[in-house]
């Protein structure tokens, strides 16, 4: 998915609490070893706000 497609989907989501995280060098993977610690922090922060 291109960055343009990602931005279009993000913009079309009707939610004021949305956050788009883009990790460098990830491609189609959810995270890479290089970004794992940042991904874990971001997901943990998201889960804390979901409760």
């Amino acid at each position: 998915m291109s960055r343009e497609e990602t931005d279009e989907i993000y913009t079309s989501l009707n939610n004021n609490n949305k956050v788009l995280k883009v990790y460098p060098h990830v491609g189609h993977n959810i995270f890479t070893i290089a970004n794992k610690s940042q991904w874990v922090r971001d997901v943990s922060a998201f889960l804390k706000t979901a409760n």
Side-chain angles (χ1 to χ4, degrees):
M1 172 177 294
S2 71
R3 178 58 196 260
E4 182 178 89
E5 292 169 318
T6 300
D7 291 341
E8 287 178 27
I9 292 169
Y10 178 77
T11 301
S12 70
L13 295 173
N14 188 19
N15 185 321
N16 293 332
N17 297 321
K18 62 187 175 185
V19 175
L20 175 62
K21 297 285 185 173
V22 178
Y23 302 96
H25 314 294
V26 173
H28 290 280
N29 299 311
I30 192 164
F31 67 88
T32 63
I33 298 301
N35 297 311
K36 184 177 180 179
S37 60
Q38 183 62 51
W39 182 85
V40 168
R41 285 192 299 273
D42 292 340
V43 171
S44 295
F46 168 76
L47 291 174
K48 286 179 184 176
T49 64
N51 289 327

